[in-house]
Amino acid sequence: REMGVISRRWFRTGDVGWWSDERGLTVLGRLDEQVKLRGQRLELSEIEAIALSCHLVRAAAAAVRRDQLLLYIVPTLPPSCFAHGGSVAVSLHMRARLPDALSPSRIIPLPKLPLSPGGKLLRSALPPPPPNEDTPPSADPGGCHGLPPEAGSALPCPAAGLLSRTERLIAAAWEAELQVAPGSVGPGANFFLLGGTSTA
């Protein structure tokens, strides 16, 4: 049997599959949480560990949906407080520790993560991401404790600096391609954080 020859060299790659004489090798998935995104392999557990190092995150779960890396978190702050710059602060935390191509495209706060009766994360039960907001997070008028200074003010508008009609047309075309809100594309925008990939 070809696959049973002891003298052959075997490697533990972490891939799961099965062999048949008719079809050969069929790959079913992986034993770990490694995924491929934009041509690079990454461990979802490593993304989650970086998120948990942020004081605004109580629990975290990463998932890849439609070639986008999504980060689901349970914030340490009340929802009314986290809504004013919390996602921005977590995004800045991640971007400072990861290359742009591997930074989460969206930060999605949840009241709790879906868990099995045994307490394990049910990654497949994570909800789909909500539609992109039309406006960036604004400053908290009442003042929330726990947010870093850079999250306490509104983000600059990505579309700022688009002066010519041609630039506006190009930005509108990319917004339609990436399916993001009007005004999201511009000189101040990050292509990968908008959901762009090497094939877009």
Side-chain angles (χ1 to χ4, degrees):
R1 295 180 335 197
E2 284 291 320
M3 296 297 290
V5 177
I6 299 177
S7 61
R8 288 183 179 270
R9 182 171 294 179
W10 294 78
F11 296 91
R12 291 186 180 273
T13 64
D15 297 298
V16 179
W18 59 279
W19 175 271
S20 69
D21 294 333
E22 295 80 16
R23 297 184 179 182
L25 180 64
T26 301
V27 179
L28 303 177
R30 291 190 57 84
L31 289 171
D32 53 23
E33 297 295 343
Q34 189 180 91
V35 297
K36 193 172 184 179
L37 179 68
R38 299 165 190 149
Q40 301 186 50
R41 289 192 178 275
L42 71 154
E43 294 277 357
L44 295 179
S45 58
E46 293 181 4
I47 303 296
E48 294 162 356
I50 293 174
L52 290 172
S53 68
C54 177
H55 72 285
L56 297 175
V57 178
R58 187 187 312 277
V64 174
R65 304 278 175 83
R66 296 183 179 180
D67 291 328
Q68 292 191 45
L69 177 61
L70 307 179
L71 180 61
Y72 297 84
I73 64 168
V74 178
T76 57
L77 298 177
S80 59
C81 209
F82 186 83
H84 296 286
S87 293
V88 176
V90 175
S91 180
L92 290 173
H93 176 89
M94 302 299 292
R95 290 172 63 182
R97 292 159 177 81
L98 290 167
D100 285 346
L102 298 181
S103 295
S105 301
R106 301 279 299 278
I107 307 295
I108 305 171
L110 297 175
K112 62 180 180 179
L113 298 178
L115 303 176
S116 69
K120 293 186 177 181
L121 173 67
L122 294 177
R123 206 176 299 275
S124 61
L126 290 167
N132 282 323
E133 298 179 355
D134 292 337
T135 56
S138 60
D140 178 12
C144 278
H145 299 290
L147 294 179
E150 60 267 27
S153 59
L155 289 177
C157 177
L162 293 177
L163 302 178
S164 70
R165 179 175 179 272
T166 301
E167 289 175 327
R168 293 194 295 270
L169 289 174
I170 293 174
W174 273 110
E175 287 164 357
E177 174 67 23
L178 298 174
Q179 299 181 359
V180 296
S184 299
V185 174
N190 184 297
F191 177 71
F192 292 111
L193 294 181
L194 287 175
T197 68
S198 58
T199 59

